Amino acid sequence: MADVAAQAVLTVDHLTMRFGGLVAVSDLSFRCRGGEITALIGPNGAGKTTVFNCITGFYRPTEGMMTLRQPAGATFLLERLPGHEITARAKVARTFQNIRLFTGMTVLENLMVAQHNGLMRASGYTAGGLLGLPGYRRAEKDAVRKAERWLERTGLVDRADDPAGDLPYGDQRRLEIARAMCTDPVLLCLDEPAAGLNPRESHDLNELLLSIRDRDGTSLLLIEHDMSVVMEISDHVVVLDYGVKIADSTPEEVRRDPRVVAAYLGVEDEEVEQVEAEVLT
Amino acid sequence: MAASARLPAGAVSAAPEPPRPAPGFADALRDALYAALITLGLSIPLLALRTEQGPNGLVLEPRWGLVAACCGIVFVGRLLLRLLGLRAVPSRRSMAARGAVTTRAEPERQSGFALSALLGPVFLGIAVTFPLLAYLSAGGLTESRYWVDLGILILTYVMLGWGLNIVVGLAGLLDLGYVAFYAVGAYSYALLATTFSLSFWICLPLAGILAAFWGILLGFPVLRLRGDYLAIVTLAFGEIIRLVLINWVDVTGGGAGISSIPRVTFFGIPFTNDETGFLGWMRWLLGWRDGAQGSLGWLFGPEGPTFSPMHRIIFLYYLILVLALITNLVTLRLRRLPVGRAWEALREDEIACRSLGINTTSTKLTAFAIGAMFGGFAGSFFAVRQGFISPESFNFLESATILAIVVLGGMGSQIGVAIAAVAMVGGPEMLRNLGFLSHVFGSGFDPNEYRFLLFGMGMVLMMIWRPRGLISVREPSVVLRERRAISGSHVKEGHG
């Protein structure tokens, strides 16, 4: 793991995103190191989801460069790839703040859709599968097995044949993570995975994320408001406020950083000028 | 353990339903009175007074009897409806709001699932033996022609419905111009056959390929459109194709259409009454050669088999049956392939699809292309059957009928689409045969004139009782342990 950890999986350089006159993200640079959990935190409206959308190709950044380096050595400039290739080739998967499952399909089908590209190749781009060639049948069986493995890890195997829309909220969150993991990502981006979970579910989620980091060697980048999750599992924290990075270090140091505290809690009136001076320097 | 979800299908449907609180008679009476009052209010301006040509200009003729009859019908109908406990299915949104989705959906989906599994073989059996049934019931080959023709018409719409089902039901792309591909297929065959004298069996795949090509051509500009916008552009596309067919007189013959299109051959053998045609082939096959008596003498008599023009019609019937079944089998197979699952995922959530690395562009284009291809096959069948085509046959009403078949049947449900096609195409035809009604309503009554009224009423009732189509359950494409149908309330219709 040491050589992987030394490298940055994702390097974001001078990322700027403007919507008309509004600067949502301004000159942001940070790195996600391989085999680590990086948390992106900040108050509401700080631009965290915008950063995510830039990384995963839903927005095209106004300026900046995002380099993804796979452990095997291949590098991709994410801002130049079309949206779907960011997952298909560069292997960046994501989940959504408001869960986006295929509610009318079963839990298992959700995980099969996630393995679309591999299955598509195995089915000879539909032609072979239409003729019922054995190669595709084998690939499908493997895909089901892989899905089952993820269902076991997320504790959803009993619900495999139920529609995803029938699952309770916490299960839907875990299913979305399992679905993202079925794309074999190098970097998994989670947009508020613990939102709406009770403490127990949140604890299970921590376990799951740690096991993804340790067992699968997938690096994680997560946006989170739940500080118990952030402080407990992340190796590295980046704090955004109004689109600007105000801190970038270990959880312990971030917790003590006065600018972070000010951004989250606000400050006493008499301290405003002092904090402003700190922030602006 | 949520026990209800794990019971086998039989146990769920056999479980006694919780007793519904009986509607109080007083409540029902009050409700029926309200309904009658509303009817009274509506019918006074609409029905009560009629202007008649009198001797000195117009006179008002009151028709209070009619108003009273209407109010009475509504009162009794509403009362019965309430007392029998027949009530409209609550809308999906209100059900979801009350958190009643699972309790209500469970028995419905299980029964729908079993029903569709049972209906398939029954329908197939009827379809395969239909010409024989028609022959037996009509009492002769020539007499059965009306029924076989009707069967061909229904099967054509079944095939079109199944083709459109790929685009609308699976991929969730609302296509109001499907008839354009039907037209492309028909004109492809007509033009290729009349100018290059190509046989139907060569033109059939060519027509499919050309239609698929036009499907992709339509697909490109509409990739970014969704919902209403997509519907409008596809509608316009259908009209553009029709207008081109009307105005490009040099090639398409304009409004006059193309006539004397070569008829279908029995895999190269023409349906004619001589030794080189179908008759000769039939006699050769059964051994009636050179005056010798062949087999099946008990059936044909000493003269041997004779030719009837009905042979061609019956062949056409089986041709469209096979084409429709191919459409069905390919669709069922595609659903279990990654491309089919990607279509359904696209219908459910396009953004999530993109985040999973699915190329939504090519996925949408394949849906358009494959749907259009089957439309093209059906179109070339239409041309070979009619022998004459003109732009008249490809107007918007056709698109609307096909779309109505898909929506009525339940989007994505193969058997539902087949039932809806029978109801939509066969139903109006059946009205022609309701002559006995004229004994009830007087000799001037022609049920045919009320076709669209009944049709509209049927549609309204469907939308009230089964807003998601006849068969709204979805069958999963892959199963880990136990096959369970998915209630329609979870399945999305797609955003275009």
Side-chain angles (χ1 to χ4, degrees), chain B residues 215-259:
Chain B
I216 293 173
L217 222 57
L218 165 69
F220 264 113
V222 303
L223 278 172
R224 293 162 165 275
L225 303 178
R226 328 177 94 223
D228 309 346
Y229 302 98
L230 177 72
I232 290 168
V233 174
T234 52
L235 173 71
F237 181 76
E239 286 301 292
I240 288 169
I241 292 272
R242 193 173 64 87
L243 290 174
V244 167
L245 292 178
I246 291 176
N247 290 301
W248 198 5
V249 181
D250 296 342
V251 174
T252 63
I258 300 175
S259 54

mmCIF file of all heavy atoms in Angstrom, chain B residues 215-259:
data_model
loop_
_atom_site.group_PDB
_atom_site.id
_atom_site.type_symbol
_atom_site.label_atom_id
_atom_site.label_comp_id
_atom_site.label_asym_id
_atom_site.label_seq_id
_atom_site.Cartn_x
_atom_site.Cartn_y
_atom_site.Cartn_z
ATOM 1 N N GLY B 215 -34.497 6.184 -37.940
ATOM 2 C CA GLY B 215 -34.642 6.286 -36.497
ATOM 3 C C GLY B 215 -33.448 6.980 -35.874
ATOM 4 O O GLY B 215 -33.583 7.853 -35.013
ATOM 5 N N ILE B 216 -32.256 6.615 -36.331
ATOM 6 C CA ILE B 216 -31.040 7.258 -35.804
ATOM 7 C C ILE B 216 -31.014 8.719 -36.214
ATOM 8 O O ILE B 216 -30.673 9.604 -35.431
ATOM 9 C CB ILE B 216 -29.795 6.506 -36.309
ATOM 10 C CG1 ILE B 216 -29.756 5.111 -35.687
ATOM 11 C CG2 ILE B 216 -28.535 7.264 -35.972
ATOM 12 C CD1 ILE B 216 -28.670 4.232 -36.225
ATOM 13 N N LEU B 217 -31.426 8.963 -37.457
ATOM 14 C CA LEU B 217 -31.441 10.333 -37.961
ATOM 15 C C LEU B 217 -32.357 11.213 -37.116
ATOM 16 O O LEU B 217 -32.048 12.363 -36.831
ATOM 17 C CB LEU B 217 -31.928 10.320 -39.416
ATOM 18 C CG LEU B 217 -31.192 11.219 -40.379
ATOM 19 C CD1 LEU B 217 -29.721 10.902 -40.396
ATOM 20 C CD2 LEU B 217 -31.792 11.078 -41.760
ATOM 21 N N LEU B 218 -33.500 10.652 -36.727
ATOM 22 C CA LEU B 218 -34.400 11.396 -35.838
ATOM 23 C C LEU B 218 -33.787 11.493 -34.455
ATOM 24 O O LEU B 218 -33.902 12.519 -33.784
ATOM 25 C CB LEU B 218 -35.761 10.705 -35.747
ATOM 26 C CG LEU B 218 -36.656 11.181 -34.589
ATOM 27 C CD1 LEU B 218 -37.118 12.602 -34.835
ATOM 28 C CD2 LEU B 218 -37.851 10.280 -34.407
ATOM 29 N N GLY B 219 -33.109 10.412 -34.047
ATOM 30 C CA GLY B 219 -32.566 10.364 -32.697
ATOM 31 C C GLY B 219 -31.564 11.471 -32.431
ATOM 32 O O GLY B 219 -31.584 12.085 -31.375
ATOM 33 N N PHE B 220 -30.689 11.759 -33.390
ATOM 34 C CA PHE B 220 -29.624 12.720 -33.140
ATOM 35 C C PHE B 220 -30.129 14.074 -32.687
ATOM 36 O O PHE B 220 -29.726 14.550 -31.626
ATOM 37 C CB PHE B 220 -28.728 12.865 -34.372
ATOM 38 C CG PHE B 220 -27.514 11.997 -34.274
ATOM 39 C CD1 PHE B 220 -27.331 10.932 -35.122
ATOM 40 C CD2 PHE B 220 -26.569 12.243 -33.293
ATOM 41 C CE1 PHE B 220 -26.225 10.118 -35.003
ATOM 42 C CE2 PHE B 220 -25.455 11.432 -33.169
ATOM 43 C CZ PHE B 220 -25.281 10.371 -34.027
ATOM 44 N N PRO B 221 -31.027 14.717 -33.441
ATOM 45 C CA PRO B 221 -31.426 16.054 -32.974
ATOM 46 C C PRO B 221 -32.227 16.054 -31.683
ATOM 47 O O PRO B 221 -32.280 17.077 -31.008
ATOM 48 C CB PRO B 221 -32.258 16.599 -34.143
ATOM 49 C CG PRO B 221 -32.660 15.422 -34.920
ATOM 50 C CD PRO B 221 -31.607 14.397 -34.736
ATOM 51 N N VAL B 222 -32.861 14.943 -31.349
ATOM 52 C CA VAL B 222 -33.720 14.989 -30.166
ATOM 53 C C VAL B 222 -33.042 14.449 -28.908
ATOM 54 O O VAL B 222 -33.679 14.336 -27.875
ATOM 55 C CB VAL B 222 -35.044 14.221 -30.385
ATOM 56 C CG1 VAL B 222 -35.782 14.779 -31.571
ATOM 57 C CG2 VAL B 222 -34.817 12.745 -30.545
ATOM 58 N N LEU B 223 -31.744 14.147 -29.002
ATOM 59 C CA LEU B 223 -31.066 13.550 -27.850
ATOM 60 C C LEU B 223 -31.155 14.409 -26.602
ATOM 61 O O LEU B 223 -31.257 13.907 -25.503
ATOM 62 C CB LEU B 223 -29.595 13.346 -28.187
ATOM 63 C CG LEU B 223 -29.299 12.091 -28.969
ATOM 64 C CD1 LEU B 223 -27.864 12.089 -29.407
ATOM 65 C CD2 LEU B 223 -29.591 10.872 -28.127
ATOM 66 N N ARG B 224 -31.096 15.724 -26.808
ATOM 67 C CA ARG B 224 -31.064 16.598 -25.636
ATOM 68 C C ARG B 224 -32.453 16.954 -25.153
ATOM 69 O O ARG B 224 -32.605 17.594 -24.126
ATOM 70 C CB ARG B 224 -30.345 17.901 -26.004
ATOM 71 C CG ARG B 224 -28.919 17.686 -26.292
ATOM 72 C CD ARG B 224 -28.334 18.845 -27.045
ATOM 73 N NE ARG B 224 -26.882 18.737 -26.979
ATOM 74 C CZ ARG B 224 -26.178 19.210 -25.975
ATOM 75 N NH1 ARG B 224 -26.776 19.823 -24.989
ATOM 76 N NH2 ARG B 224 -24.872 19.059 -25.960
ATOM 77 N N LEU B 225 -33.479 16.578 -25.928
ATOM 78 C CA LEU B 225 -34.827 16.995 -25.570
ATOM 79 C C LEU B 225 -35.457 15.975 -24.642
ATOM 80 O O LEU B 225 -35.178 14.787 -24.705
ATOM 81 C CB LEU B 225 -35.684 17.128 -26.823
ATOM 82 C CG LEU B 225 -35.145 18.088 -27.868
ATOM 83 C CD1 LEU B 225 -36.043 18.100 -29.070
ATOM 84 C CD2 LEU B 225 -35.030 19.478 -27.287
ATOM 85 N N ARG B 226 -36.345 16.471 -23.806
ATOM 86 C CA ARG B 226 -37.033 15.565 -22.905
ATOM 87 C C ARG B 226 -38.505 15.948 -22.843
ATOM 88 O O ARG B 226 -38.875 17.063 -23.163
ATOM 89 C CB ARG B 226 -36.432 15.635 -21.497
ATOM 90 C CG ARG B 226 -34.964 15.932 -21.505
ATOM 91 C CD ARG B 226 -34.410 16.057 -20.119
ATOM 92 N NE ARG B 226 -33.888 14.779 -19.692
ATOM 93 C CZ ARG B 226 -34.075 14.285 -18.495
ATOM 94 N NH1 ARG B 226 -34.783 14.929 -17.618
ATOM 95 N NH2 ARG B 226 -33.539 13.124 -18.165
ATOM 96 N N GLY B 227 -39.295 14.988 -22.448
ATOM 97 C CA GLY B 227 -40.703 15.230 -22.149
ATOM 98 C C GLY B 227 -41.465 15.843 -23.310
ATOM 99 O O GLY B 227 -41.416 15.361 -24.434
ATOM 100 N N ASP B 228 -42.154 16.947 -23.021
ATOM 101 C CA ASP B 228 -43.037 17.583 -24.000
ATOM 102 C C ASP B 228 -42.279 17.974 -25.261
ATOM 103 O O ASP B 228 -42.777 17.849 -26.370
ATOM 104 C CB ASP B 228 -43.664 18.844 -23.399
ATOM 105 C CG ASP B 228 -44.301 18.573 -22.065
ATOM 106 O OD1 ASP B 228 -44.478 17.384 -21.755
ATOM 107 O OD2 ASP B 228 -44.606 19.533 -21.352
ATOM 108 N N TYR B 229 -41.044 18.454 -25.069
ATOM 109 C CA TYR B 229 -40.287 18.937 -26.217
ATOM 110 C C TYR B 229 -39.973 17.786 -27.159
ATOM 111 O O TYR B 229 -40.091 17.893 -28.376
ATOM 112 C CB TYR B 229 -39.005 19.612 -25.734
ATOM 113 C CG TYR B 229 -39.298 20.740 -24.799
ATOM 114 C CD1 TYR B 229 -39.221 20.565 -23.423
ATOM 115 C CD2 TYR B 229 -39.706 21.973 -25.286
ATOM 116 C CE1 TYR B 229 -39.537 21.591 -22.564
ATOM 117 C CE2 TYR B 229 -40.019 23.007 -24.441
ATOM 118 C CZ TYR B 229 -39.929 22.816 -23.067
ATOM 119 O OH TYR B 229 -40.244 23.831 -22.237
ATOM 120 N N LEU B 230 -39.599 16.661 -26.574
ATOM 121 C CA LEU B 230 -39.320 15.472 -27.382
ATOM 122 C C LEU B 230 -40.572 15.059 -28.134
ATOM 123 O O LEU B 230 -40.532 14.767 -29.333
ATOM 124 C CB LEU B 230 -38.855 14.335 -26.466
ATOM 125 C CG LEU B 230 -38.600 13.020 -27.177
ATOM 126 C CD1 LEU B 230 -37.347 13.106 -28.002
ATOM 127 C CD2 LEU B 230 -38.480 11.881 -26.187
ATOM 128 N N ALA B 231 -41.713 15.070 -27.435
ATOM 129 C CA ALA B 231 -42.966 14.652 -28.069
ATOM 130 C C ALA B 231 -43.280 15.542 -29.257
ATOM 131 O O ALA B 231 -43.669 15.057 -30.322
ATOM 132 C CB ALA B 231 -44.093 14.705 -27.047
ATOM 133 N N ILE B 232 -43.066 16.858 -29.101
ATOM 134 C CA ILE B 232 -43.404 17.783 -30.186
ATOM 135 C C ILE B 232 -42.500 17.549 -31.388
ATOM 136 O O ILE B 232 -42.947 17.509 -32.530
ATOM 137 C CB ILE B 232 -43.307 19.238 -29.688
ATOM 138 C CG1 ILE B 232 -44.449 19.509 -28.717
ATOM 139 C CG2 ILE B 232 -43.363 20.202 -30.841
ATOM 140 C CD1 ILE B 232 -44.305 20.781 -27.953
ATOM 141 N N VAL B 233 -41.189 17.355 -31.129
ATOM 142 C CA VAL B 233 -40.274 17.177 -32.256
ATOM 143 C C VAL B 233 -40.573 15.863 -32.983
ATOM 144 O O VAL B 233 -40.577 15.820 -34.217
ATOM 145 C CB VAL B 233 -38.810 17.236 -31.770
ATOM 146 C CG1 VAL B 233 -37.872 16.905 -32.909
ATOM 147 C CG2 VAL B 233 -38.503 18.613 -31.245
ATOM 148 N N THR B 234 -40.856 14.797 -32.244
ATOM 149 C CA THR B 234 -41.165 13.532 -32.914
ATOM 150 C C THR B 234 -42.476 13.646 -33.693
ATOM 151 O O THR B 234 -42.601 13.098 -34.787
ATOM 152 C CB THR B 234 -41.259 12.383 -31.907
ATOM 153 O OG1 THR B 234 -42.147 12.756 -30.864
ATOM 154 C CG2 THR B 234 -39.922 12.042 -31.319
ATOM 155 N N LEU B 235 -43.417 14.391 -33.124
ATOM 156 C CA LEU B 235 -44.686 14.631 -33.832
ATOM 157 C C LEU B 235 -44.411 15.335 -35.160
ATOM 158 O O LEU B 235 -44.920 14.941 -36.217
ATOM 159 C CB LEU B 235 -45.590 15.492 -32.947
ATOM 160 C CG LEU B 235 -46.888 16.005 -33.536
ATOM 161 C CD1 LEU B 235 -47.837 14.850 -33.687
ATOM 162 C CD2 LEU B 235 -47.493 17.052 -32.630
ATOM 163 N N ALA B 236 -43.560 16.359 -35.087
ATOM 164 C CA ALA B 236 -43.221 17.106 -36.294
ATOM 165 C C ALA B 236 -42.495 16.204 -37.298
ATOM 166 O O ALA B 236 -42.757 16.265 -38.497
ATOM 167 C CB ALA B 236 -42.345 18.295 -35.931
ATOM 168 N N PHE B 237 -41.650 15.336 -36.788
ATOM 169 C CA PHE B 237 -40.914 14.434 -37.676
ATOM 170 C C PHE B 237 -41.882 13.554 -38.462
ATOM 171 O O PHE B 237 -41.737 13.365 -39.668
ATOM 172 C CB PHE B 237 -39.959 13.584 -36.845
ATOM 173 C CG PHE B 237 -39.129 12.640 -37.655
ATOM 174 C CD1 PHE B 237 -38.054 13.094 -38.393
ATOM 175 C CD2 PHE B 237 -39.422 11.289 -37.674
ATOM 176 C CE1 PHE B 237 -37.297 12.216 -39.142
ATOM 177 C CE2 PHE B 237 -38.666 10.409 -38.410
ATOM 178 C CZ PHE B 237 -37.605 10.877 -39.149
ATOM 179 N N GLY B 238 -42.881 13.044 -37.763
ATOM 180 C CA GLY B 238 -43.887 12.213 -38.430
ATOM 181 C C GLY B 238 -44.596 12.983 -39.537
ATOM 182 O O GLY B 238 -44.807 12.473 -40.641
ATOM 183 N N GLU B 239 -44.915 14.258 -39.244
ATOM 184 C CA GLU B 239 -45.609 15.063 -40.243
ATOM 185 C C GLU B 239 -44.690 15.404 -41.410
ATOM 186 O O GLU B 239 -45.118 15.435 -42.561
ATOM 187 C CB GLU B 239 -46.134 16.346 -39.591
ATOM 188 C CG GLU B 239 -47.335 16.113 -38.706
ATOM 189 C CD GLU B 239 -48.498 15.508 -39.456
ATOM 190 O OE1 GLU B 239 -49.088 16.178 -40.316
ATOM 191 O OE2 GLU B 239 -48.817 14.327 -39.201
ATOM 192 N N ILE B 240 -43.397 15.658 -41.084
ATOM 193 C CA ILE B 240 -42.450 15.996 -42.150
ATOM 194 C C ILE B 240 -42.370 14.840 -43.148
ATOM 195 O O ILE B 240 -42.440 15.037 -44.363
ATOM 196 C CB ILE B 240 -41.055 16.306 -41.564
ATOM 197 C CG1 ILE B 240 -41.083 17.644 -40.839
ATOM 198 C CG2 ILE B 240 -40.008 16.340 -42.658
ATOM 199 C CD1 ILE B 240 -39.849 17.907 -40.006
ATOM 200 N N ILE B 241 -42.243 13.635 -42.629
ATOM 201 C CA ILE B 241 -42.144 12.470 -43.512
ATOM 202 C C ILE B 241 -43.392 12.395 -44.394
ATOM 203 O O ILE B 241 -43.308 12.177 -45.607
ATOM 204 C CB ILE B 241 -41.993 11.188 -42.672
ATOM 205 C CG1 ILE B 241 -40.649 11.173 -41.956
ATOM 206 C CG2 ILE B 241 -42.168 9.950 -43.533
ATOM 207 C CD1 ILE B 241 -39.505 10.585 -42.729
ATOM 208 N N ARG B 242 -44.549 12.620 -43.801
ATOM 209 C CA ARG B 242 -45.789 12.527 -44.568
ATOM 210 C C ARG B 242 -45.836 13.617 -45.641
ATOM 211 O O ARG B 242 -46.213 13.354 -46.794
ATOM 212 C CB ARG B 242 -46.990 12.667 -43.625
ATOM 213 C CG ARG B 242 -48.316 12.283 -44.242
ATOM 214 C CD ARG B 242 -49.399 12.297 -43.188
ATOM 215 N NE ARG B 242 -49.623 13.628 -42.652
ATOM 216 C CZ ARG B 242 -50.454 14.516 -43.213
ATOM 217 N NH1 ARG B 242 -51.140 14.202 -44.286
ATOM 218 N NH2 ARG B 242 -50.594 15.707 -42.677
ATOM 219 N N LEU B 243 -45.414 14.829 -45.279
ATOM 220 C CA LEU B 243 -45.453 15.923 -46.253
ATOM 221 C C LEU B 243 -44.451 15.692 -47.374
ATOM 222 O O LEU B 243 -44.723 16.018 -48.540
ATOM 223 C CB LEU B 243 -45.179 17.260 -45.552
ATOM 224 C CG LEU B 243 -46.318 17.708 -44.641
ATOM 225 C CD1 LEU B 243 -45.927 18.950 -43.871
ATOM 226 C CD2 LEU B 243 -47.568 17.972 -45.459
ATOM 227 N N VAL B 244 -43.296 15.129 -47.011
ATOM 228 C CA VAL B 244 -42.330 14.807 -48.063
ATOM 229 C C VAL B 244 -42.935 13.784 -49.017
ATOM 230 O O VAL B 244 -42.829 13.913 -50.245
ATOM 231 C CB VAL B 244 -41.016 14.282 -47.438
ATOM 232 C CG1 VAL B 244 -40.136 13.654 -48.502
ATOM 233 C CG2 VAL B 244 -40.272 15.396 -46.739
ATOM 234 N N LEU B 245 -43.610 12.800 -48.475
ATOM 235 C CA LEU B 245 -44.221 11.777 -49.321
ATOM 236 C C LEU B 245 -45.268 12.395 -50.243
ATOM 237 O O LEU B 245 -45.415 11.987 -51.392
ATOM 238 C CB LEU B 245 -44.874 10.693 -48.452
ATOM 239 C CG LEU B 245 -43.922 9.819 -47.648
ATOM 240 C CD1 LEU B 245 -44.699 8.835 -46.803
ATOM 241 C CD2 LEU B 245 -42.953 9.094 -48.550
ATOM 242 N N ILE B 246 -45.998 13.389 -49.747
ATOM 243 C CA ILE B 246 -47.024 14.017 -50.573
ATOM 244 C C ILE B 246 -46.391 14.872 -51.670
ATOM 245 O O ILE B 246 -46.826 14.864 -52.814
ATOM 246 C CB ILE B 246 -47.967 14.883 -49.700
ATOM 247 C CG1 ILE B 246 -48.817 13.989 -48.804
ATOM 248 C CG2 ILE B 246 -48.863 15.765 -50.559
ATOM 249 C CD1 ILE B 246 -49.703 14.747 -47.845
ATOM 250 N N ASN B 247 -45.334 15.595 -51.309
ATOM 251 C CA ASN B 247 -44.830 16.622 -52.230
ATOM 252 C C ASN B 247 -43.712 16.167 -53.157
ATOM 253 O O ASN B 247 -43.463 16.819 -54.162
ATOM 254 C CB ASN B 247 -44.355 17.836 -51.425
ATOM 255 C CG ASN B 247 -45.527 18.560 -50.804
ATOM 256 O OD1 ASN B 247 -46.424 19.008 -51.519
ATOM 257 N ND2 ASN B 247 -45.557 18.613 -49.490
ATOM 258 N N TRP B 248 -43.050 15.096 -52.818
ATOM 259 C CA TRP B 248 -41.951 14.641 -53.675
ATOM 260 C C TRP B 248 -42.549 13.718 -54.747
ATOM 261 O O TRP B 248 -42.313 12.522 -54.753
ATOM 262 C CB TRP B 248 -40.916 13.921 -52.831
ATOM 263 C CG TRP B 248 -39.589 13.803 -53.496
ATOM 264 C CD1 TRP B 248 -39.206 14.335 -54.681
ATOM 265 C CD2 TRP B 248 -38.460 13.066 -53.004
ATOM 266 N NE1 TRP B 248 -37.915 14.000 -54.965
ATOM 267 C CE2 TRP B 248 -37.436 13.234 -53.945
ATOM 268 C CE3 TRP B 248 -38.239 12.309 -51.859
ATOM 269 C CZ2 TRP B 248 -36.186 12.637 -53.783
ATOM 270 C CZ3 TRP B 248 -37.000 11.732 -51.697
ATOM 271 C CH2 TRP B 248 -35.974 11.898 -52.646
ATOM 272 N N VAL B 249 -43.297 14.334 -55.633
ATOM 273 C CA VAL B 249 -44.140 13.569 -56.548
ATOM 274 C C VAL B 249 -43.317 12.652 -57.451
ATOM 275 O O VAL B 249 -43.710 11.522 -57.745
ATOM 276 C CB VAL B 249 -45.012 14.525 -57.380
ATOM 277 C CG1 VAL B 249 -45.912 13.767 -58.319
ATOM 278 C CG2 VAL B 249 -45.829 15.385 -56.447
ATOM 279 N N ASP B 250 -42.123 13.141 -57.890
ATOM 280 C CA ASP B 250 -41.313 12.350 -58.828
ATOM 281 C C ASP B 250 -40.993 10.965 -58.289
ATOM 282 O O ASP B 250 -40.962 9.991 -59.034
ATOM 283 C CB ASP B 250 -39.992 13.073 -59.112
ATOM 284 C CG ASP B 250 -40.246 14.392 -59.799
ATOM 285 O OD1 ASP B 250 -41.358 14.544 -60.344
ATOM 286 O OD2 ASP B 250 -39.357 15.259 -59.770
ATOM 287 N N VAL B 251 -40.722 10.904 -57.013
ATOM 288 C CA VAL B 251 -40.293 9.629 -56.447
ATOM 289 C C VAL B 251 -41.461 8.856 -55.838
ATOM 290 O O VAL B 251 -41.634 7.666 -56.099
ATOM 291 C CB VAL B 251 -39.197 9.872 -55.389
ATOM 292 C CG1 VAL B 251 -38.829 8.579 -54.688
ATOM 293 C CG2 VAL B 251 -37.972 10.483 -56.042
ATOM 294 N N THR B 252 -42.262 9.558 -55.053
ATOM 295 C CA THR B 252 -43.263 8.829 -54.270
ATOM 296 C C THR B 252 -44.633 8.804 -54.931
ATOM 297 O O THR B 252 -45.548 8.171 -54.403
ATOM 298 C CB THR B 252 -43.426 9.490 -52.893
ATOM 299 O OG1 THR B 252 -43.920 10.814 -53.101
ATOM 300 C CG2 THR B 252 -42.124 9.564 -52.146
ATOM 301 N N GLY B 253 -44.798 9.501 -56.037
ATOM 302 C CA GLY B 253 -46.112 9.539 -56.654
ATOM 303 C C GLY B 253 -47.060 10.495 -55.961
ATOM 304 O O GLY B 253 -48.237 10.544 -56.312
ATOM 305 N N GLY B 254 -46.578 11.244 -54.976
ATOM 306 C CA GLY B 254 -47.404 12.246 -54.318
ATOM 307 C C GLY B 254 -48.627 11.662 -53.649
ATOM 308 O O GLY B 254 -48.613 10.514 -53.183
ATOM 309 N N GLY B 255 -49.685 12.447 -53.630
ATOM 310 C CA GLY B 255 -50.908 12.014 -52.958
ATOM 311 C C GLY B 255 -51.544 10.807 -53.612
ATOM 312 O O GLY B 255 -52.320 10.088 -52.974
ATOM 313 N N ALA B 256 -51.223 10.581 -54.877
ATOM 314 C CA ALA B 256 -51.814 9.424 -55.567
ATOM 315 C C ALA B 256 -51.230 8.114 -55.062
ATOM 316 O O ALA B 256 -51.799 7.048 -55.285
ATOM 317 C CB ALA B 256 -51.577 9.546 -57.062
ATOM 318 N N GLY B 257 -50.071 8.193 -54.435
ATOM 319 C CA GLY B 257 -49.480 6.996 -53.840
ATOM 320 C C GLY B 257 -48.837 6.096 -54.882
ATOM 321 O O GLY B 257 -48.607 6.477 -56.030
ATOM 322 N N ILE B 258 -48.516 4.907 -54.473
ATOM 323 C CA ILE B 258 -47.887 3.913 -55.342
ATOM 324 C C ILE B 258 -48.840 2.739 -55.434
ATOM 325 O O ILE B 258 -49.251 2.196 -54.414
ATOM 326 C CB ILE B 258 -46.535 3.449 -54.767
ATOM 327 C CG1 ILE B 258 -45.586 4.637 -54.620
ATOM 328 C CG2 ILE B 258 -45.925 2.379 -55.656
ATOM 329 C CD1 ILE B 258 -44.297 4.299 -53.954
ATOM 330 N N SER B 259 -49.183 2.386 -56.657
ATOM 331 C CA SER B 259 -50.103 1.262 -56.804
ATOM 332 C C SER B 259 -49.396 0.099 -57.491
ATOM 333 O O SER B 259 -48.236 0.217 -57.907
ATOM 334 C CB SER B 259 -51.334 1.697 -57.597
ATOM 335 O OG SER B 259 -50.918 2.269 -58.807
#
